[in-house]
């Protein structure tokens, strides 16, 4: 008889995990989702950052043979298009020639993954809100559709997101559960640059656009219909802030002054600003993730992070990949797999969470800074000359799925120390790629 | 018409807060307690560290005129009696001549405070388990006694402890709630040294006894009946640990070897060890504590800490004192009082939480260390010679209620830096109080 596996949450990670587990042909896999089936709904939630699918996520999709299906809703972004305050623009490639990340709509990708999960034999139940888990009997209690329901699977995965009900039940019923939720002083709001005539792109299609303004920023990612999903990351209070921009007039004049080129392309800016919700940005760290051989948190439920490294989904997909590798290594013995899964993934999840927080400063402030840009150029040149010895931190995280996040963090910090020393010298003598810089960097790496 | 104030939790802080508020003669004050009335029950919970009531707590009790009532259940402890592994004993005074802390039973003190609260006109309702708070209507929903009940007070205080239901409801219903719960790798277990003949004390009555053993420790505090409440602070795993001591034989031989003098006075050690629960040690930090002019967390619910500085209760009592000072300053205007309360107390609660964690190392390890003892002597001598310029950190926290915890933490860290430098010198030349040491310390303080 096949074991029953219940996955809580039909989001990106839950759906992909369903596909992974269904492919084993050993389990009855069911997904229980709190919301109605988004495939039957019109319109979007208006509150979801466009995603950047990159190599770690792609590897996990390839591993289970579905990347081809996903490819046609992806738009490659080869670098950052920086819109400076003075109206000039600069461009920073993300990596080497041919390296890119992919803009993809969260909704479209989620729908596709749900379709694929069902095609693999996974059953998805909607409007099942997890109210509680009975940890002794391994029962999950759902409310929804006006009645209570209880299931008793053999194994439960909590992939129910940053505010996971399964994690809350764990917190309330297990002693010594480490739990940390922390917010940054910034919220975000989704805005839109509509498509041009005949679905044309009104700004460069194959780039992630950033309007860095020191204490805040606007970003834009392309959609396949020619529009761009823009997100304003903005302080909750102070001047300017979500609090201070309290009238359509103020919003209009703020965007006109601060994001002049974007403003011209956003005819609905004041309506969007007041109609769309302001959402908060949480980091969640917790431990343990698992309970015996019966339960594990996975994805955002285990490690919610801020979106500034574009790795939240990629990390969750990599969770599935790592879990699958452990499944293969331990031949489906969950008693061994689950403890190893949390031991292995916890330091990597912590690392990418910390990197994501740090990257906010980089995106909203440093990318507009001459010194920072000079450093990036030096690193890129050194990396090209000595690819074995130096990979820029962003590339290690984004384009090196063979390297653990924790390793990327450690190497990145060591490299930053070297660059701090290089860049602390007088500008004219060293802020560029030359023999002296090269010698210094080589010496520092000894 | 008098406003209704509801206090959740009839613990030490909730009961004292009730007295403070009832004395205003402006409010109907009710306390809602989850458990049955402990005054009607036999025996103790077997899971409560004896408390050390010190100057901050005393000041709060005096301020409301009830210290006289509490005094007769207190036993003064003038210092630490250290029981070394080699069988020798050393004694460290806590402060100057005449300074002491007080051993008091949590249960006895709680009962007394409940009696006093009722005598002040506070009504206490038992077996009212807070299930949820409706933050829009300011309603509290209770279960218990087989039915649900709802109250709609004007103001609610959440003094429902380290695992507060009110705080959980806050966490689940407010965006951007900072929340951190973290545990140390040690648990604790309560044990007993019974009284001698005719209620005599079998070890020194007026001291807090410590058996420091590096990675773990046993402590004992006197009770008015001649017994001592002992607490073993011990690793959960490793060797030795709660995990490794898995038989009566192992426990017996462990205590015999490690705590030889105590072992002789603990005839029930093996029974106690397996009958009494192992409890965990949590630190909780959160923010905000308040909601408009309608709600505030207070005491452990706002800032649970580990017990190693003996300040958990004292800090909670000081919360009441500070709240009362703000009440006086703002003439009962809660719209001003509550925001000022959390702003003022949060840094102090954080400071004493951090100090409490740090003090565990001191108690279980350093108090047995020659260098540490030498440092304490030097500090005491300097403090006696120059009382205006130097108060040892322990004394600032314990005997200086005029000084904020955060100030004590900062001054303590600055002083520690000076002592590190003094103690880093060769032993023979400087590990004692002499003219050179005095000159060095005076110079460092310039």
């Amino acid at each position: 008889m096949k074991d029953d596996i219940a996955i809580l949450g039909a989001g990106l990670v839950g759906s992909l995990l369903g596909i992974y587990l269904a492919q084993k042909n050993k389990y009855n896999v069911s997904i229980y989702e709190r919301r109605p089936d988004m495939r039957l709904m019109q319109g979007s939630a208006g509150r979801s950052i466009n995603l950047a699918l990159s190599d770690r996520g792609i590897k996990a999709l390839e591993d289970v043979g579905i990347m081809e299906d996903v490819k046609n809703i992806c738009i490659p972004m080869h670098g950052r298009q920086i819109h400076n305050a003075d109206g000039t623009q600069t461009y920073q490639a993300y990596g080497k020639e041919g390296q890119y990340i992919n803009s993809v709509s969260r909704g479209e990708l989620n729908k596709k993954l749900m379709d694929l999960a069902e095609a693999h034999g996974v059953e998805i139940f909607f409007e099942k809100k997890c109210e509680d888990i009975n940890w002794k009997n391994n029962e999950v209690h759902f409310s929804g559709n006006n009645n209570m329901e209880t299931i008793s699977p053999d194994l439960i995965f909590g992939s129910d997101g940053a505010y996971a009900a399964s994690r809350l039940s764990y917190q309330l019923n297990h002693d010594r559960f480490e739990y940390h939720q922390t917010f940054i002083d910034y919220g975000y709001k989704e805005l839109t640059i509509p498509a041009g005539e005949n679905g044309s792109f009104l700004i460069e299609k194959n780039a992630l656009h950033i309007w860095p303004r020191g204490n805040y920023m606007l970003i834009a990612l392309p959609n396949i219909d020619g529009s761009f999903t823009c997100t304003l990351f903005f302080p909750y209070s102070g001047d300017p802030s979500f609090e201070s921009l309290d009238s359509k007039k103020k919003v209009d004049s703020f965007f006109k002054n601060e994001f002049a080129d974007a403003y011209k392309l956003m005819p609905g800016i004041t309506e969007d600003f007041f109609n769309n919700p302001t959402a908060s940005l949480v980091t969640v760290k917790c431990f343990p993730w698992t309970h015996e051989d019966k339960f594990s948190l996975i994805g955002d439920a285990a490690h919610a992070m801020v979106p500034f490294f574009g790795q939240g989904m990629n990390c969750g997909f990599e969770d599935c990949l790592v879990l699958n590798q452990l499944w293969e290594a331990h031949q489906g013995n969950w008693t061994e797999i689950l403890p190893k899964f949390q031991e292995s993934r916890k330091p990597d999840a912590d690392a990418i969470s910390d990197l994501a927080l740090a990257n906010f400063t980089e995106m909203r402030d440093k990318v507009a800074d001459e010194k920072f840009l000079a450093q990036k150029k030096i690193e890129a040149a050194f990396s090209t000359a000595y690819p074995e010895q130096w990979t820029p931190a962003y590339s290690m995280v984004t384009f090196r799925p063979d390297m653990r996040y924790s390793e990327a963090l450690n190497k990145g910090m060591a490299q930053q120390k070297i660059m701090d020393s290089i860049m602390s010298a007088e500008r004219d003598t060293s802020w560029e790629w030359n023999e002296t810089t090269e010698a210094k960097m080589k010496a520092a790496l000894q």
Side-chain angles (χ1 to χ4, degrees), chain A:
Chain A
M1 211 178 77
K2 290 185 177 181
D3 276 355
D4 291 329
I5 300 184
I7 297 172
L8 307 182
L12 300 164
V13 173
S15 299
L16 178 60
L17 178 63
I19 297 169
Y20 265 96
L21 293 171
Q23 285 193 349
K24 303 293 174 202
N25 286 319
K26 283 173 172 279
Y27 308 113
N28 296 316
V29 182
S30 305
I31 305 182
Y32 298 84
E33 166 59 39
R34 183 169 57 86
R35 282 164 289 208
D37 190 344
M38 64 164 76
R39 294 169 298 184
L40 309 176
M41 322 262 288
Q42 289 283 330
S44 85
R47 184 185 152 151
S48 156
I49 303 171
N50 256 38
L51 300 164
L53 176 64
S54 55
D55 289 15
R56 289 173 197 269
I58 290 169
K59 190 177 170 191
L61 295 175
E62 283 173 348
D63 191 49
V64 78
I66 60 172
M67 184 54 204
E68 281 307 311
D69 293 293
V70 171
K71 219 168 209 168
N72 58 355
I73 55 168
C74 287
I75 298 179
M77 300 183 289
H78 296 270
R80 294 167 169 165
Q81 185 76 24
I82 312 294
H83 300 249
N84 297 305
D86 63 5
T88 61
Q89 293 187 25
T90 43
Y91 176 78
Q92 298 165 26
Y94 274 127
K96 299 175 188 172
E97 185 69 36
Q99 287 184 324
Y100 56 86
I101 62 177
N102 298 278
S103 176
V104 61
S105 145
R106 171 187 287 270
E108 291 308 311
L109 180 56
N110 206 149
K111 288 177 195 171
K112 188 151 288 236
L113 289 174
M114 289 197 283
D115 286 346
L116 288 165
E118 286 177 342
H120 282 78
V122 176
E123 201 164 358
I124 310 181
F125 300 92
F126 294 93
E127 296 180 69
K128 304 287 179 193
K129 182 168 180 276
C130 169
E131 293 290 343
D132 195 19
I133 295 176
N134 180 326
W135 297 91
K136 278 186 190 135
N137 307 338
N138 223 44
E139 289 174 353
V140 188
H141 304 293
F142 298 105
S143 65
N145 292 330
N146 296 321
N147 49 32
M148 289 294 295
E149 194 180 327
T150 297
I151 57 166
S152 311
D154 299 289
L155 173 60
I156 303 165
F157 284 97
S159 59
D160 40 351
Y163 296 97
S166 64
R167 189 186 62 223
L168 179 69
S169 175
Y170 198 110
Q171 176 189 332
L172 296 178
N173 294 289
H174 291 79
D175 191 18
R176 297 169 67 208
F177 180 61
E178 291 289 314
Y179 182 68
H180 304 273
Q181 64 176 41
T182 188
F183 293 81
I184 59 173
D185 293 334
Y186 298 76
Y188 70 91
K189 193 182 283 285
E190 209 167 284
L191 304 166
T192 302
I193 294 179
E197 274 181 37
N198 304 318
S200 62
F201 292 84
L202 295 180
I203 50 177
E204 167 59 41
K205 174 185 178 186
N206 293 113
L208 190 154
H209 295 262
I210 310 181
W211 290 258
R213 294 295 182 268
N215 194 36
Y216 53 91
M217 69 173 175
L218 180 71
I219 67 169
L221 281 79
N223 294 313
I224 42 179
D225 67 358
S227 68
F228 286 81
T229 301
C230 306
T231 311
L232 177 70
F233 294 95
F234 208 47
Y236 273 101
S237 58
D239 189 18
S241 70
F242 283 120
E243 201 175 81
S244 78
L245 295 189
D246 55 2
S247 72
K248 288 195 173 180
K249 203 176 152 190
K250 284 183 194 168
V251 170
D252 191 76
S253 112
F254 175 76
F255 274 79
K256 201 174 195 167
N257 291 328
E258 299 299 321
F259 308 115
D261 57 343
Y263 173 78
K264 291 177 194 150
L265 306 174
M266 302 169 91
I269 174 66
T270 54
E271 284 72 25
D272 283 359
F273 193 91
F274 289 104
N275 289 339
N276 293 346
T278 303
S280 58
L281 293 155
V282 71
T283 300
V284 173
K285 293 185 180 180
C286 66
F287 201 81
W289 295 355
T290 67
H291 172 64
E292 300 172 358
D293 59 346
K294 300 198 177 332
F295 175 83
S296 183
L297 295 169
I298 190 166
D300 282 1
H303 49 64
M305 66 192 73
V306 294
F308 305 111
F309 223 119
Q311 286 292 322
M313 168 186 65
N314 292 291
C315 178
F317 284 2
E318 195 176 69
D319 284 352
C320 297
L321 182 82
V322 170
L323 186 74
N324 186 54
Q325 288 168 343
L326 290 167
W327 194 96
E328 297 294 342
H330 299 277
Q331 297 168 24
N333 182 346
W334 294 109
T335 312
E336 291 173 3
I337 296 165
L338 295 188
K340 287 209 157 61
F341 174 65
Q342 68 174 359
E343 268 165 49
S344 159
R345 282 306 274 173
K346 173 65 173 165
D348 290 326
D350 284 350
I352 187 59
S353 287
D354 295 344
L355 283 162
L357 273 173
N359 219 42
F360 185 32
T361 322
E362 179 166 328
M363 286 181 81
R364 69 178 152 81
D365 197 5
K366 289 196 201 155
V367 291
D369 179 64
E370 225 174 344
K371 189 171 178 180
F372 175 82
L373 297 179
Q375 176 184 327
K376 288 276 153 181
K377 276 187 189 159
I378 294 171
E379 282 195 72
F382 192 84
S383 176
T384 304
Y386 305 96
E388 298 301 314
Q389 289 184 55
W390 194 287
T391 308
Y394 183 87
S395 293
M396 289 191 282
V397 170
T398 308
F399 303 121
R400 291 283 305 272
D402 58 308
M403 187 185 282
R404 294 178 57 164
Y405 283 125
S406 49
E407 192 186 346
L409 174 64
N410 291 337
K411 283 201 175 169
M413 287 194 298
Q415 289 180 176
Q416 185 56 48
K417 252 189 169 169
I418 295 173
M419 292 314 295
D420 283 346
S421 144
I422 303 273
M423 304 304 290
S424 70
E426 282 306 311
R427 171 177 177 163
D428 291 337
T429 58
S430 71
W431 283 19
E432 50 188 71
W433 175 243
N434 55 33
E435 277 177 28
T436 319
T437 309
E438 180 176 349
K440 273 193 202 171
M441 290 175 76
K442 285 180 76 172
L445 282 171
Q446 294 306 312

